[in-house]
Amino acid sequence: MKNHKNIKSLRLVLGDQLNIDHSWYQQKDPEVLYLIAEIKQEASYVAHHIQKVCAFFAAMEQFANTLAAQGHQVRYLTLDDTANFKDLPDLLRHTVDELSCEHFEYQRPDEYRLREQMLAFCSGITTQNKEVDSEHFLLPFEEIGDYFTPQKHVRMETFYRKMRRRFKVLMEDNEPTGGRWNFDAENRQTFKQADLKSIPTPLCFINDVRDIVNRLARNEIQTIGETASSLLWPISQEQGRELLAYFCQHQLPSFGRFQDAMTCNSEHQWSLYHSRLSFAINAKLIGPIEVIDTAIKAFHESDGEINLAQVEGFVRQILGWREYVRGMYWVNMPNYAIQNELNGSRPLPKWFWTGDTKMQCMRGAITQSLDYAYAHHIQRLMITGNFALLAGIKPDEVDQWYLGIYVDAIEWVELPNTRGMALFADGGWIATKPYAASGNYVNKMSDYCKSCEYSVKNKTEDNACPLNSLYWNFIDRHYNKLKQNPRMAFPIKNWEKKNDTEKQEILSKAQAILSDLDTV
Ligand code: FAD
Ligand code: SF4
């Protein structure tokens, strides 16, 4: 470790604050030291996928090298260097004392946990300190309260339209480009046999992370998932931009069309038409506005190859959903993390950690998550999320799983998606109804059922798709609550129409499954 001298200011850069365009870096000051550190606290607050830890550490190291090459003073500490520090505040206290710093600055963390830790640290030191913005999101942090109210439902569509207007994205004369805000109806196609051959090959990088893997082992960091000796995820702004350009060329032309589709019959079934940009954006290697502008530019320059429905579908995810869940998270924390409206109480089945289940849809989504630290949105929401919802799994355990397994998982974005969207544990702050589905939905949107040991057509037979009885059991269990929700009128009516014998058979089947979830 270099012995830095004459440092007046210490600036902390967290692992998801790798924004090289931040105003901090516009001036070089030999009296300012940037601290970037791999610490056990962050590598082990949950059991992370090994590719996730490798991606963050590799990106942090690259970022430190880039800053140093630009002439900034940088201290990069590996897990070995920080092994003796209890946690982040311990490391910071030591560094501030060692360098006799007059100032300490940090960018506002996106996670409640870390923000609280930083605020507590700063209140306990005499060194002058300052929190600055991370200069990443479109909606200023201070304005979150103008758009969101604690414990209140806010319609994503309403928020999204405000954002479109405010940031003049896909707008002409204050009206949406093409005269429509929403192309969701066109964006629900499934794959036909002929479509499977044209699914694009995903761009995968070859980043050498062997040193990091060894460091993790040496420091006894528990991880999950497949070891990556070379990492396919982008770890620099340059690679993030390369992935974005590749996406615009190869995947954006059909992004919206197939955004809800799933298949287990393609070599590229794990990536399909998704951008896989979430890690690069969440680590702030690239900013959301750059991603949006690049996609819109590609749309305008595509000579009709990319139509409006595709680009709008993509913009909606970033300008809409991503900014929306961040607002929902901050306005509701720390309360959000304890919501359990539907009283989920069962432990997560063991096969969530192995993929060893007979259910083809679950096996596919989980195996792929363990292999790549990635699943696309509809797998997260309507396969694993739906199962956890129907089976009444404890939200804490579901949260831990999602937070650990995905390369892009950071609490501010993971938690509202998991507790809110997937589990309806917030009682409707995000979703207007639970995203509960039987096997019928999976069969409609994928080809999983064709090669499943279970039969999607059956409800109570030995080989019946477990989702079918679990679905009706869910409706029955939450009948009184769901009956008050107009959006649930259809399934409620269908349940009411069943005679007592049929209801009883379905509920008994569901109980049998629930009593032995590990073997399903
Ligand atoms: P694409 O399908 O290509 O979408 C483009 C971008 O839009 C994404 O990169 C992402 O930045 C943004 N986006 C899309 N949907 C959402 C959404 N619902 N919320 C926020 N941003 C969105 N996303 C994370 O980044 N981290 C998480 O930990 C995370 N956990 C999730 C947990 C559950 C239960 C669910 C249902 C969704 C979760 N998502 C999470 C949202 C979404 O599934 C991922 O952002 C997306 O799958 C990432 O893949 P991609 O980059 O290929 O996305
Ligand atoms: Fe999943 Fe049921 Fe279809 Fe099997 S039959 S893949 S368990 S939905």
Side-chain angles (χ1 to χ4, degrees):
M1 194 196 318
K2 194 174 155 195
N3 193 9
H4 292 275
K5 294 229 166 69
N6 304 324
I7 298 297
K8 287 209 171 120
S9 268
L10 181 69
R11 286 178 171 174
L12 172 70
V13 182
L14 293 170
D16 65 344
Q17 296 179 336
L18 310 180
N19 174 7
I20 199 71
D21 299 321
H22 194 277
S23 54
W24 265 1
Y25 314 121
Q26 302 313 310
Q27 282 175 353
K28 289 174 203 75
D29 185 342
E31 295 181 340
V32 172
L33 177 72
Y34 292 99
L35 177 68
I36 306 176
E38 301 171 2
I39 44 174
K40 197 164 189 166
Q41 165 193 310
E42 292 307 291
S44 58
Y45 65 86
V46 71
H48 298 285
H49 197 296
I50 190 157
Q51 290 181 37
K52 177 182 176 188
V53 193
C54 286
F56 274 105
F57 285 4
M60 285 156 64
E61 212 168 346
Q62 279 270 338
F63 189 77
N65 292 340
T66 307
L67 281 184
Q70 288 182 355
H72 298 283
Q73 303 290 315
V74 185
R75 177 177 284 184
Y76 188 81
L77 301 177
T78 66
L79 268 183
D80 299 329
D81 301 325
T82 62
N84 291 329
F85 296 102
K86 188 165 71 72
D87 53 18
L88 179 61
D90 193 22
L91 169 68
L92 292 175
R93 218 169 284 121
H94 172 90
T95 314
V96 167
D97 288 350
E98 175 212 325
L99 301 170
S100 307
C101 298
E102 292 168 17
H103 305 276
F104 169 68
E105 288 184 28
Y106 64 98
Q107 295 177 23
R108 182 190 313 103
D110 292 328
E111 281 183 299
Y112 184 84
R113 172 184 65 88
L114 276 167
R115 176 122 195 269
E116 288 295 294
Q117 199 175 41
M118 293 313 301
L119 293 174
F121 169 71
C122 288
S123 69
I125 55 171
T126 48
T127 314
Q128 286 181 29
N129 56 75
K130 188 167 150 198
E131 177 181 85
V132 302
D133 195 78
S134 61
E135 302 173 12
H136 172 81
F137 291 98
L138 282 101
L139 186 66
F141 185 80
E142 298 71 25
E143 291 182 40
I144 287 176
D146 301 341
Y147 287 73
F148 300 91
T149 311
Q151 303 183 42
K152 281 261 153 50
H153 173 69
V154 173
R155 245 181 113 223
M156 199 308 276
E157 187 68 31
T158 312
F159 170 79
Y160 168 62
R161 291 181 190 185
K162 285 186 190 164
M163 294 290 279
R164 287 266 299 270
R165 285 208 167 92
R166 174 167 176 175
F167 295 99
K168 301 191 174 36
V169 174
L170 288 176
M171 296 296 294
E172 279 156 31
D173 299 331
N174 213 27
E175 288 302 317
T177 303
R180 279 170 65 189
W181 293 100
N182 192 317
F183 294 84
D184 275 359
E186 280 100 315
N187 284 348
R188 288 201 190 111
Q189 289 183 32
T190 54
F191 293 117
K192 309 268 176 313
Q193 195 60 32
D195 298 324
L196 295 176
K197 289 199 195 74
S198 17
I199 295 175
T201 306
L203 171 63
C204 294
F205 298 97
I206 303 176
N207 291 308
D208 186 350
V209 290
R210 280 171 298 184
D211 282 354
I212 299 176
V213 171
N214 291 338
R215 281 209 289 282
L216 293 173
R218 221 169 25 244
N219 288 278
E220 297 176 350
I221 303 292
Q222 299 290 320
T223 56
I224 54 172
E226 284 302 304
T227 309
S229 54
S230 92
L231 184 81
L232 65 90
W233 297 102
I235 58 165
S236 61
Q237 184 183 59
E238 196 184 18
Q239 288 188 349
R241 285 182 172 162
E242 211 183 315
L243 188 59
L244 174 60
Y246 189 89
F247 165 73
C248 290
Q249 188 180 350
H250 299 281
Q251 285 129 339
L252 184 55
S254 289
F255 173 83
R257 191 171 297 130
F258 292 127
Q259 73 185 7
D260 287 357
M262 297 172 279
T263 176
C264 56
N265 284 307
S266 159
E267 197 190 336
H268 311 311
Q269 64 201 39
W270 70 283
S271 49
L272 303 176
Y273 288 89
H274 296 275
S275 69
R276 297 180 302 110
L277 281 163
S278 48
F279 171 74
I281 311 179
N282 291 355
K284 304 188 180 60
L285 299 174
I286 44 177
I289 198 64
E290 175 176 352
V291 175
I292 290 168
D293 287 348
T294 308
I296 293 176
K297 184 161 178 273
F299 157 63
H300 286 307
E301 291 173 356
S302 74
D303 250 349
E305 202 206 332
I306 304 171
N307 68 36
L308 183 57
Q310 313 312 309
V311 78
E312 189 284 319
F314 183 68
V315 166
R316 163 181 297 270
Q317 306 308 317
I318 296 176
L319 185 67
W321 280 109
R322 188 170 185 272
E323 297 279 328
Y324 170 83
V325 298
R326 168 185 174 249
M328 274 292 184
Y329 173 80
W330 275 105
V331 87
N332 285 304
M333 281 302 279
N335 201 9
Y336 217 144
I338 53 166
Q339 294 307 300
N340 188 3
E341 171 79 13
L342 301 180
N343 298 318
S345 58
R346 285 196 178 77
L348 200 67
K350 292 197 178 67
W351 43 261
F352 262 77
W353 304 101
T354 60
D356 190 11
T357 164
K358 296 192 283 284
M359 302 174 74
Q360 168 74 322
C361 51
M362 293 295 287
R363 187 169 64 234
I366 294 173
T367 308
Q368 141 178 355
S369 304
L370 291 165
D371 287 348
Y372 296 104
Y374 177 83
H376 55 80
H377 184 68
I378 216 70
Q379 291 176 307
R380 298 187 203 196
L381 182 65
M382 296 308 295
I383 302 295
T384 41
N386 179 50
F387 183 89
L389 171 73
L390 298 185
I393 309 295
K394 280 184 211 149
D396 285 354
E397 293 201 15
V398 184
D399 258 341
Q400 300 277 302
W401 186 80
Y402 278 99
L403 195 53
I405 202 161
Y406 293 119
V407 68
D408 52 35
I410 308 180
E411 194 189 71
W412 68 265
V413 55
E414 173 277 329
L415 193 140
N417 270 297
T418 302
R419 274 193 198 240
M421 272 188 104
L423 299 182
F424 203 71
D426 59 7
W429 297 346
I430 287 193
T432 48
K433 69 175 182 82
Y435 279 96
S438 66
N440 200 20
Y441 172 87
V442 179
N443 195 30
K444 198 169 94 198
M445 297 310 297
S446 78
D447 49 24
Y448 285 136
C449 304
K450 290 198 183 100
S451 50
C452 184
E453 283 188 38
Y454 293 112
S455 165
V456 73
K457 301 279 173 240
N458 292 344
K459 289 194 204 65
T460 54
E461 295 77 349
D462 283 350
N463 71 345
C465 167
L467 297 183
N468 292 340
S469 55
L470 290 181
Y471 174 77
W472 290 117
N473 183 65
F474 174 83
I475 300 288
D476 183 68
R477 193 166 80 242
H478 301 295
Y479 181 84
N480 291 335
K481 221 168 244 169
L482 300 180
K483 202 169 160 48
Q484 294 161 25
N485 184 333
R487 293 203 64 208
M488 293 304 287
F490 187 66
I492 288 286
K493 202 174 235 163
N494 279 342
W495 181 238
E496 286 168 345
K497 271 199 276 183
K498 293 186 197 304
N499 64 42
D500 285 351
T501 316
E502 191 184 354
K503 279 185 180 169
Q504 211 38 60
E505 279 173 9
I506 292 173
L507 296 179
S508 304
K509 175 72 181 178
Q511 284 319 311
I513 294 169
L514 290 170
S515 64
D516 199 7
L517 270 186
D518 282 337
T519 63
V520 77

